[in-house]
Tab-separated table of all heavy atoms in Angstrom:
chain	number	residue	atom	x	y	z
P	5	MET	N	123.530	-15.781	-25.244
P	5	MET	CA	122.306	-15.632	-24.536
P	5	MET	C	121.669	-17.010	-24.282
P	5	MET	O	121.645	-17.848	-25.188
P	5	MET	CB	121.280	-14.820	-25.351
P	5	MET	CG	120.020	-14.320	-24.656
P	5	MET	SD	118.747	-13.667	-25.613
P	5	MET	CE	119.521	-12.159	-26.293
P	6	SER	N	121.256	-17.282	-23.034
P	6	SER	CA	120.809	-18.698	-22.763
P	6	SER	C	119.320	-18.786	-23.195
P	6	SER	O	118.599	-17.757	-23.290
P	6	SER	CB	120.922	-18.913	-21.260
P	6	SER	OG	119.990	-18.046	-20.503
P	7	PRO	N	118.854	-19.993	-23.413
P	7	PRO	CA	117.512	-20.266	-23.908
P	7	PRO	C	116.444	-19.781	-22.968
P	7	PRO	O	115.401	-19.274	-23.422
P	7	PRO	CB	117.417	-21.801	-24.093
P	7	PRO	CG	118.875	-22.272	-24.127
P	7	PRO	CD	119.663	-21.228	-23.392
P	8	ASP	N	116.739	-19.701	-21.651
P	8	ASP	CA	115.760	-19.327	-20.730
P	8	ASP	C	115.553	-17.776	-20.820
P	8	ASP	O	114.381	-17.356	-20.811
P	8	ASP	CB	116.214	-19.633	-19.259
P	8	ASP	CG	116.150	-21.097	-18.875
P	8	ASP	OD1	115.303	-21.710	-19.588
P	8	ASP	OD2	116.782	-21.602	-18.042
P	9	ASN	N	116.635	-16.947	-20.926
P	9	ASN	CA	116.469	-15.585	-21.181
P	9	ASN	C	115.722	-15.294	-22.421
P	9	ASN	O	114.842	-14.409	-22.480
P	9	ASN	CB	117.881	-14.898	-21.228
P	9	ASN	CG	118.456	-14.812	-19.816
P	9	ASN	OD1	117.930	-15.187	-18.780
P	9	ASN	ND2	119.820	-14.350	-19.720
P	10	PHE	N	116.002	-16.055	-23.437
P	10	PHE	CA	115.382	-15.879	-24.773
P	10	PHE	C	113.891	-16.101	-24.675
P	10	PHE	O	113.026	-15.353	-25.151
P	10	PHE	CB	115.959	-16.808	-25.755
P	10	PHE	CG	115.487	-16.633	-27.176
P	10	PHE	CD1	115.777	-15.347	-27.891
P	10	PHE	CD2	114.798	-17.555	-27.821
P	10	PHE	CE1	115.298	-15.094	-29.063
P	10	PHE	CE2	114.329	-17.257	-29.119
P	10	PHE	CZ	114.712	-16.174	-29.819
P	11	ARG	N	113.509	-17.255	-23.982
P	11	ARG	CA	112.136	-17.464	-23.661
P	11	ARG	C	111.363	-16.434	-22.906
P	11	ARG	O	110.252	-16.000	-23.214
P	11	ARG	CB	112.029	-18.841	-22.988
P	11	ARG	CG	110.683	-19.602	-23.236
P	11	ARG	CD	110.728	-20.985	-22.740
P	11	ARG	NE	111.651	-21.855	-23.453
P	11	ARG	CZ	112.392	-22.871	-22.926
P	11	ARG	NH1	112.278	-23.149	-21.625
P	11	ARG	NH2	113.146	-23.600	-23.637
P	12	LEU	N	112.120	-15.949	-21.879
P	12	LEU	CA	111.533	-14.800	-20.999
P	12	LEU	C	111.243	-13.600	-21.867
P	12	LEU	O	110.235	-12.970	-21.829
P	12	LEU	CB	112.494	-14.519	-19.944
P	12	LEU	CG	111.996	-13.446	-18.884
P	12	LEU	CD1	110.805	-13.997	-18.127
P	12	LEU	CD2	113.063	-13.127	-17.995
P	13	ILE	N	112.252	-13.228	-22.726
P	13	ILE	CA	112.052	-12.014	-23.590
P	13	ILE	C	110.851	-12.255	-24.634
P	13	ILE	O	110.086	-11.375	-24.794
P	13	ILE	CB	113.360	-11.811	-24.314
P	13	ILE	CG1	114.435	-11.268	-23.376
P	13	ILE	CG2	113.194	-10.738	-25.492
P	13	ILE	CD1	115.867	-11.255	-23.893
P	14	LEU	N	110.859	-13.447	-25.118
P	14	LEU	CA	109.717	-13.774	-26.106
P	14	LEU	C	108.347	-13.728	-25.411
P	14	LEU	O	107.415	-13.036	-25.878
P	14	LEU	CB	109.831	-15.127	-26.605
P	14	LEU	CG	110.687	-15.364	-27.792
P	14	LEU	CD1	110.748	-16.852	-28.287
P	14	LEU	CD2	110.120	-14.585	-29.041
P	15	ALA	N	108.296	-14.150	-24.097
P	15	ALA	CA	107.098	-14.104	-23.336
P	15	ALA	C	106.680	-12.628	-23.005
P	15	ALA	O	105.507	-12.173	-23.224
P	15	ALA	CB	107.223	-14.834	-22.011
P	16	ILE	N	107.687	-11.808	-22.597
P	16	ILE	CA	107.433	-10.384	-22.433
P	16	ILE	C	106.967	-9.621	-23.688
P	16	ILE	O	105.958	-8.881	-23.650
P	16	ILE	CB	108.652	-9.730	-21.811
P	16	ILE	CG1	108.946	-10.179	-20.396
P	16	ILE	CG2	108.573	-8.201	-21.798
P	16	ILE	CD1	110.351	-9.899	-19.910
P	17	CYS	N	107.554	-9.981	-24.820
P	17	CYS	CA	107.183	-9.394	-26.017
P	17	CYS	C	105.660	-9.764	-26.485
P	17	CYS	O	104.965	-8.987	-26.885
P	17	CYS	CB	108.145	-9.780	-27.198
P	17	CYS	SG	109.707	-8.913	-27.112
P	18	ALA	N	105.414	-11.031	-26.248
P	18	ALA	CA	104.088	-11.547	-26.501
P	18	ALA	C	103.047	-10.812	-25.695
P	18	ALA	O	102.013	-10.375	-26.143
P	18	ALA	CB	104.025	-13.032	-26.260
P	19	ILE	N	103.373	-10.647	-24.399
P	19	ILE	CA	102.430	-9.956	-23.391
P	19	ILE	C	102.279	-8.498	-23.834
P	19	ILE	O	101.126	-8.021	-23.882
P	19	ILE	CB	102.943	-10.090	-21.972
P	19	ILE	CG1	102.817	-11.484	-21.541
P	19	ILE	CG2	102.202	-9.190	-21.138
P	19	ILE	CD1	103.588	-11.791	-20.334
P	20	LEU	N	103.401	-7.877	-24.224
P	20	LEU	CA	103.309	-6.437	-24.630
P	20	LEU	C	102.458	-6.308	-25.912
P	20	LEU	O	101.649	-5.356	-26.079
P	20	LEU	CB	104.713	-5.910	-24.787
P	20	LEU	CG	105.463	-5.571	-23.549
P	20	LEU	CD1	106.968	-5.151	-23.898
P	20	LEU	CD2	104.765	-4.472	-22.767
P	21	LEU	N	102.668	-7.151	-26.844
P	21	LEU	CA	101.981	-7.169	-28.061
P	21	LEU	C	100.483	-7.371	-27.864
P	21	LEU	O	99.598	-6.620	-28.463
P	21	LEU	CB	102.480	-8.229	-29.100
P	21	LEU	CG	103.668	-7.913	-29.917
P	21	LEU	CD1	104.090	-9.097	-30.720
P	21	LEU	CD2	103.223	-6.766	-30.882
P	22	THR	N	100.106	-8.268	-27.010
P	22	THR	CA	98.751	-8.594	-26.617
P	22	THR	C	98.065	-7.320	-26.118
P	22	THR	O	97.010	-6.966	-26.475
P	22	THR	CB	98.648	-9.682	-25.674
P	22	THR	OG1	99.382	-10.879	-26.210
P	22	THR	CG2	97.250	-10.104	-25.399
P	23	PHE	N	98.790	-6.739	-25.087
P	23	PHE	CA	98.255	-5.464	-24.477
P	23	PHE	C	98.113	-4.371	-25.431
P	23	PHE	O	97.161	-3.627	-25.495
P	23	PHE	CB	99.122	-5.024	-23.240
P	23	PHE	CG	98.634	-5.804	-21.952
P	23	PHE	CD1	99.627	-6.714	-21.364
P	23	PHE	CD2	97.492	-5.602	-21.334
P	23	PHE	CE1	99.292	-7.351	-20.203
P	23	PHE	CE2	97.048	-6.192	-20.243
P	23	PHE	CZ	98.001	-7.121	-19.616
P	24	GLY	N	99.071	-4.233	-26.306
P	24	GLY	CA	99.115	-3.256	-27.308
P	24	GLY	C	97.818	-3.416	-28.272
P	24	GLY	O	97.161	-2.449	-28.661
P	25	CYS	N	97.628	-4.711	-28.625
P	25	CYS	CA	96.530	-4.925	-29.597
P	25	CYS	C	95.129	-4.651	-28.889
P	25	CYS	O	94.231	-4.021	-29.398
P	25	CYS	CB	96.530	-6.395	-29.981
P	25	CYS	SG	97.853	-6.746	-31.220
P	26	LEU	N	95.127	-4.961	-27.567
P	26	LEU	CA	93.925	-4.766	-26.782
P	26	LEU	C	93.608	-3.149	-26.667
P	26	LEU	O	92.519	-2.709	-26.890
P	26	LEU	CB	94.073	-5.278	-25.388
P	26	LEU	CG	93.747	-6.799	-25.211
P	26	LEU	CD1	94.051	-7.182	-23.784
P	26	LEU	CD2	92.359	-6.999	-25.575
P	27	PHE	N	94.708	-2.345	-26.382
P	27	PHE	CA	94.535	-1.033	-26.308
P	27	PHE	C	94.186	-0.319	-27.679
P	27	PHE	O	93.460	0.635	-27.727
P	27	PHE	CB	95.902	-0.339	-25.765
P	27	PHE	CG	95.960	-0.349	-24.301
P	27	PHE	CD1	97.002	-1.058	-23.680
P	27	PHE	CD2	95.023	0.305	-23.471
P	27	PHE	CE1	97.128	-1.112	-22.287
P	27	PHE	CE2	95.148	0.257	-22.160
P	27	PHE	CZ	96.092	-0.381	-21.493
P	28	ILE	N	94.641	-0.987	-28.814
P	28	ILE	CA	94.220	-0.464	-30.111
P	28	ILE	C	92.892	-0.852	-30.416
P	28	ILE	O	92.074	-0.075	-30.988
P	28	ILE	CB	95.295	-0.975	-31.141
P	28	ILE	CG1	96.614	-0.239	-30.934
P	28	ILE	CG2	94.747	-0.693	-32.582
P	28	ILE	CD1	97.790	-0.973	-31.585
P	29	ILE	N	92.506	-2.151	-30.152
P	29	ILE	CA	91.246	-2.649	-30.580
P	29	ILE	C	90.112	-2.137	-29.653
P	29	ILE	O	88.935	-1.958	-30.202
P	29	ILE	CB	91.282	-4.250	-30.636
P	29	ILE	CG1	92.212	-4.756	-31.718
P	29	ILE	CG2	89.919	-4.906	-30.753
P	29	ILE	CD1	92.564	-6.130	-31.634
P	30	GLN	N	90.317	-1.972	-28.361
P	30	GLN	CA	89.322	-1.577	-27.474
P	30	GLN	C	88.507	-0.323	-27.892
P	30	GLN	O	87.290	-0.290	-27.940
P	30	GLN	CB	89.799	-1.463	-26.088
P	30	GLN	CG	88.884	-2.076	-25.024
P	30	GLN	CD	89.541	-2.082	-23.711
P	30	GLN	OE1	90.649	-1.848	-23.506
P	30	GLN	NE2	88.652	-2.484	-22.674
P	31	PRO	N	89.222	0.695	-28.226
P	31	PRO	CA	88.451	1.928	-28.726
P	31	PRO	C	87.649	1.748	-29.908
P	31	PRO	O	86.562	2.143	-30.039
P	31	PRO	CB	89.581	2.984	-28.874
P	31	PRO	CG	90.746	2.554	-28.109
P	31	PRO	CD	90.600	1.046	-28.093
P	32	LEU	N	88.200	0.923	-30.861
P	32	LEU	CA	87.571	0.600	-32.088
P	32	LEU	C	86.246	-0.135	-31.666
P	32	LEU	O	85.159	0.127	-32.267
P	32	LEU	CB	88.380	-0.301	-33.034
P	32	LEU	CG	89.502	0.520	-33.715
P	32	LEU	CD1	90.384	-0.519	-34.519
P	32	LEU	CD2	88.974	1.543	-34.644
P	33	LEU	N	86.369	-1.164	-30.824
P	33	LEU	CA	85.187	-1.931	-30.458
P	33	LEU	C	84.160	-1.031	-29.794
P	33	LEU	O	82.986	-1.073	-29.997
P	33	LEU	CB	85.601	-3.045	-29.447
P	33	LEU	CG	86.200	-4.217	-30.109
P	33	LEU	CD1	86.650	-5.195	-29.024
P	33	LEU	CD2	85.308	-4.954	-31.118
P	34	ALA	N	84.619	-0.002	-28.926
P	34	ALA	CA	83.723	0.822	-28.221
P	34	ALA	C	83.039	1.740	-29.316
P	34	ALA	O	81.820	1.979	-29.114
P	34	ALA	CB	84.456	1.712	-27.235
P	35	ILE	N	83.752	2.276	-30.246
P	35	ILE	CA	83.102	3.056	-31.336
P	35	ILE	C	82.089	2.244	-32.115
P	35	ILE	O	80.996	2.760	-32.343
P	35	ILE	CB	84.287	3.649	-32.234
P	35	ILE	CG1	85.048	4.723	-31.469
P	35	ILE	CG2	83.698	4.262	-33.454
P	35	ILE	CD1	86.340	5.065	-32.215
P	36	ILE	N	82.461	0.993	-32.437
P	36	ILE	CA	81.548	0.146	-33.171
P	36	ILE	C	80.239	-0.014	-32.359
P	36	ILE	O	79.154	-0.032	-32.881
P	36	ILE	CB	82.211	-1.207	-33.660
P	36	ILE	CG1	83.279	-0.832	-34.725
P	36	ILE	CG2	81.213	-2.231	-34.085
P	36	ILE	CD1	84.219	-1.882	-34.958
P	37	ALA	N	80.499	-0.401	-31.063
P	37	ALA	CA	79.286	-0.630	-30.241
P	37	ALA	C	78.401	0.574	-30.085
P	37	ALA	O	77.212	0.426	-30.178
P	37	ALA	CB	79.825	-1.070	-28.816
P	38	LEU	N	79.040	1.767	-30.040
P	38	LEU	CA	78.261	3.026	-29.840
P	38	LEU	C	77.523	3.249	-31.127
P	38	LEU	O	76.333	3.608	-31.092
P	38	LEU	CB	79.243	4.148	-29.476
P	38	LEU	CG	79.592	4.340	-28.022
P	38	LEU	CD1	80.717	5.376	-27.914
P	38	LEU	CD2	78.393	4.689	-27.199
P	39	LEU	N	78.186	3.108	-32.249
P	39	LEU	CA	77.512	3.346	-33.486
P	39	LEU	C	76.332	2.348	-33.700
P	39	LEU	O	75.284	2.695	-34.193
P	39	LEU	CB	78.527	3.131	-34.694
P	39	LEU	CG	79.433	4.343	-35.031
P	39	LEU	CD1	80.542	3.994	-36.098
P	39	LEU	CD2	78.612	5.553	-35.448
P	40	GLY	N	76.565	1.100	-33.326
P	40	GLY	CA	75.568	0.098	-33.510
P	40	GLY	C	74.361	0.424	-32.598
P	40	GLY	O	73.270	0.383	-33.013
P	41	GLY	N	74.634	0.840	-31.347
P	41	GLY	CA	73.623	1.219	-30.518
P	41	GLY	C	72.781	2.446	-30.953
P	41	GLY	O	71.531	2.473	-30.933
P	42	ALA	N	73.509	3.431	-31.470
P	42	ALA	CA	72.904	4.622	-32.005
P	42	ALA	C	72.026	4.282	-33.274
P	42	ALA	O	70.871	4.782	-33.317
P	42	ALA	CB	73.895	5.628	-32.416
P	43	LEU	N	72.565	3.410	-34.126
P	43	LEU	CA	71.790	3.026	-35.238
P	43	LEU	C	70.523	2.327	-34.878
P	43	LEU	O	69.427	2.460	-35.514
P	43	LEU	CB	72.588	2.200	-36.197
P	43	LEU	CG	73.642	2.983	-37.101
P	43	LEU	CD1	74.499	1.970	-37.831
P	43	LEU	CD2	72.868	3.884	-38.097
P	44	TRP	N	70.617	1.332	-33.893
P	44	TRP	CA	69.507	0.576	-33.415
P	44	TRP	C	68.472	1.428	-32.800
P	44	TRP	O	67.271	1.349	-33.089
P	44	TRP	CB	70.050	-0.360	-32.428
P	44	TRP	CG	68.994	-1.416	-31.967
P	44	TRP	CD1	68.527	-2.448	-32.616
P	44	TRP	CD2	68.167	-1.266	-30.771
P	44	TRP	NE1	67.540	-3.160	-31.799
P	44	TRP	CE2	67.319	-2.372	-30.784
P	44	TRP	CE3	68.149	-0.333	-29.693
P	44	TRP	CZ2	66.445	-2.555	-29.737
P	44	TRP	CZ3	67.195	-0.551	-28.743
P	44	TRP	CH2	66.400	-1.601	-28.660
P	45	LEU	N	68.875	2.452	-32.013
P	45	LEU	CA	67.951	3.365	-31.385
P	45	LEU	C	67.268	4.159	-32.448
P	45	LEU	O	66.018	4.400	-32.473
P	45	LEU	CB	68.668	4.356	-30.377
P	45	LEU	CG	68.988	3.702	-29.022
P	45	LEU	CD1	69.755	4.685	-28.253
P	45	LEU	CD2	67.605	3.504	-28.323
P	46	LEU	N	68.046	4.709	-33.421
P	46	LEU	CA	67.451	5.503	-34.501
P	46	LEU	C	66.477	4.675	-35.353
P	46	LEU	O	65.381	5.139	-35.649
P	46	LEU	CB	68.601	5.930	-35.532
P	46	LEU	CG	68.245	7.055	-36.474
P	46	LEU	CD1	67.923	8.263	-35.859
P	46	LEU	CD2	69.394	7.190	-37.452
P	47	GLY	N	66.804	3.371	-35.605
P	47	GLY	CA	65.907	2.519	-36.311
P	47	GLY	C	64.598	2.256	-35.577
P	47	GLY	O	63.504	2.354	-36.080
P	48	ALA	N	64.741	2.032	-34.259
P	48	ALA	CA	63.621	1.821	-33.399
P	48	ALA	C	62.660	3.036	-33.407
P	48	ALA	O	61.476	3.003	-33.513
P	48	ALA	CB	64.038	1.465	-31.950
P	49	ALA	N	63.359	4.277	-33.277
P	49	ALA	CA	62.530	5.539	-33.226
P	49	ALA	C	61.861	5.734	-34.491
P	49	ALA	O	60.602	6.109	-34.554
P	49	ALA	CB	63.544	6.665	-32.910
P	50	ILE	N	62.531	5.441	-35.674
P	50	ILE	CA	61.859	5.651	-36.969
P	50	ILE	C	60.744	4.673	-37.090
P	50	ILE	O	59.653	5.047	-37.559
P	50	ILE	CB	62.925	5.490	-38.059
P	50	ILE	CG1	63.866	6.697	-38.040
P	50	ILE	CG2	62.262	5.380	-39.435
P	50	ILE	CD1	65.165	6.501	-38.943
P	51	TRP	N	60.951	3.504	-36.684
P	51	TRP	CA	59.864	2.441	-36.783
P	51	TRP	C	58.715	2.732	-36.011
P	51	TRP	O	57.554	2.696	-36.453
P	51	TRP	CB	60.463	1.089	-36.333
P	51	TRP	CG	59.490	-0.061	-36.539
P	51	TRP	CD1	59.197	-0.588	-37.679
P	51	TRP	CD2	58.770	-0.790	-35.475
P	51	TRP	NE1	58.262	-1.714	-37.460
P	51	TRP	CE2	58.100	-1.792	-36.119
P	51	TRP	CE3	58.779	-0.501	-34.085
P	51	TRP	CZ2	57.163	-2.601	-35.358
P	51	TRP	CZ3	57.864	-1.467	-33.402
P	51	TRP	CH2	57.106	-2.432	-34.034
P	52	TRP	N	58.879	3.279	-34.726
P	52	TRP	CA	57.737	3.692	-33.870
P	52	TRP	C	57.008	4.807	-34.483
P	52	TRP	O	55.840	4.921	-34.545
P	52	TRP	CB	58.258	3.972	-32.543
P	52	TRP	CG	58.376	2.788	-31.557
P	52	TRP	CD1	59.504	2.243	-31.225
P	52	TRP	CD2	57.277	2.001	-31.072
P	52	TRP	NE1	59.288	1.160	-30.402
P	52	TRP	CE2	57.942	0.996	-30.321
P	52	TRP	CE3	56.018	1.984	-31.180
P	52	TRP	CZ2	57.205	-0.037	-29.622
P	52	TRP	CZ3	55.157	1.031	-30.495
P	52	TRP	CH2	55.823	0.004	-29.745
P	53	TRP	N	57.789	5.843	-35.026
P	53	TRP	CA	57.115	7.011	-35.635
P	53	TRP	C	56.362	6.610	-36.815
P	53	TRP	O	55.311	7.124	-37.024
P	53	TRP	CB	58.331	8.020	-36.020
P	53	TRP	CG	57.823	9.169	-36.829
P	53	TRP	CD1	57.209	10.341	-36.183
P	53	TRP	CD2	57.787	9.419	-38.189
P	53	TRP	NE1	56.877	11.223	-37.153
P	53	TRP	CE2	57.204	10.639	-38.410
P	53	TRP	CE3	58.167	8.728	-39.293
P	53	TRP	CZ2	57.048	11.163	-39.748
P	53	TRP	CZ3	58.080	9.136	-40.591
P	53	TRP	CH2	57.492	10.397	-40.736
P	54	TRP	N	56.930	5.717	-37.730
P	54	TRP	CA	56.209	5.240	-38.864
P	54	TRP	C	54.934	4.552	-38.460
P	54	TRP	O	53.899	4.737	-39.101
P	54	TRP	CB	57.140	4.217	-39.592
P	54	TRP	CG	56.665	3.921	-40.991
P	54	TRP	CD1	56.107	2.670	-41.346
P	54	TRP	CD2	56.669	4.744	-42.154
P	54	TRP	NE1	55.853	2.792	-42.634
P	54	TRP	CE2	55.995	3.926	-43.219
P	54	TRP	CE3	56.946	6.024	-42.361
P	54	TRP	CZ2	55.871	4.462	-44.515
P	54	TRP	CZ3	56.764	6.534	-43.648
P	54	TRP	CH2	56.264	5.806	-44.670
P	55	LYS	N	54.943	3.600	-37.369
P	55	LYS	CA	53.805	2.970	-37.004
P	55	LYS	C	52.684	4.011	-36.462
P	55	LYS	O	51.595	3.921	-36.799
P	55	LYS	CB	54.127	2.065	-35.751
P	55	LYS	CG	54.233	0.527	-36.203
P	55	LYS	CD	54.538	-0.290	-34.969
P	55	LYS	CE	53.117	-0.656	-34.333
P	55	LYS	NZ	53.279	-1.730	-33.288
P	56	TRP	N	53.206	5.035	-35.707
P	56	TRP	CA	52.398	6.058	-35.181
P	56	TRP	C	51.749	6.904	-36.313
P	56	TRP	O	50.490	7.223	-36.315
P	56	TRP	CB	53.070	6.919	-34.195
P	56	TRP	CG	52.283	7.995	-33.638
P	56	TRP	CD1	51.461	7.942	-32.585
P	56	TRP	CD2	52.281	9.410	-34.091
P	56	TRP	NE1	50.805	9.149	-32.337
P	56	TRP	CE2	51.354	10.086	-33.209
P	56	TRP	CE3	52.904	10.119	-35.082
P	56	TRP	CZ2	51.143	11.461	-33.362
P	56	TRP	CZ3	52.711	11.433	-35.145
P	56	TRP	CH2	51.787	12.130	-34.384
P	57	TRP	N	52.571	7.118	-37.370
P	57	TRP	CA	52.122	8.011	-38.442
P	57	TRP	C	51.021	7.260	-39.288
P	57	TRP	O	50.099	7.919	-39.791
P	57	TRP	CB	53.361	8.456	-39.289
P	57	TRP	CG	53.125	9.453	-40.356
P	57	TRP	CD1	52.930	9.222	-41.682
P	57	TRP	CD2	52.983	10.773	-40.093
P	57	TRP	NE1	52.648	10.441	-42.349
P	57	TRP	CE2	52.723	11.446	-41.377
P	57	TRP	CE3	53.011	11.607	-38.916
P	57	TRP	CZ2	52.563	12.801	-41.443
P	57	TRP	CZ3	52.833	12.965	-39.116
P	57	TRP	CH2	52.666	13.500	-40.358
P	58	ASN	N	51.226	5.942	-39.460
P	58	ASN	CA	50.303	5.229	-40.329
P	58	ASN	C	49.363	4.397	-39.531
P	58	ASN	O	49.019	3.223	-39.946
P	58	ASN	CB	51.159	4.304	-41.187
P	58	ASN	CG	51.964	5.069	-42.248
P	58	ASN	OD1	51.489	6.054	-42.830
P	58	ASN	ND2	53.186	4.632	-42.481
P	59	ARG	N	48.766	4.890	-38.508
P	59	ARG	CA	47.839	4.098	-37.717
P	59	ARG	C	46.378	4.195	-38.326
P	59	ARG	O	46.042	5.165	-39.022
P	59	ARG	CB	47.849	4.526	-36.298
P	59	ARG	CG	47.646	5.927	-36.100
P	59	ARG	CD	47.904	6.436	-34.641
P	59	ARG	NE	47.766	7.892	-34.633
P	59	ARG	CZ	47.716	8.626	-33.583
P	59	ARG	NH1	47.788	8.009	-32.391
P	59	ARG	NH2	47.615	9.927	-33.730
């Protein structure tokens, strides 16, 4: 196998690994972002309710 072919195969493997990691990480990031947003909204709602309750 010539060095050029080897380099090409390494590059393809690196690209595939990168895309694989992105496809695995992206749903996790989306879930974390959704959870964070939901918790933030919940916290804001509770804070507003607490302010309104103790006026």
Side-chain angles (χ1 to χ4, degrees):
M5 197 191 289
S6 67
D8 284 339
N9 285 355
F10 188 63
R11 205 170 290 148
L12 184 66
I13 290 164
L14 272 179
I16 290 168
C17 284
I19 290 165
L20 285 175
L21 271 173
T22 305
F23 275 113
C25 287
L26 278 176
F27 275 117
I28 291 163
I29 289 166
Q30 219 170 356
L32 287 175
L33 283 176
I35 289 163
I36 290 166
L38 281 171
L39 280 174
L43 281 173
W44 185 82
L45 279 172
L46 192 67
I50 290 168
W51 184 74
W52 277 109
W53 176 80
W54 191 253
K55 260 185 86 171
W56 178 80
W57 190 257
N58 290 325
R59 53 192 173 167

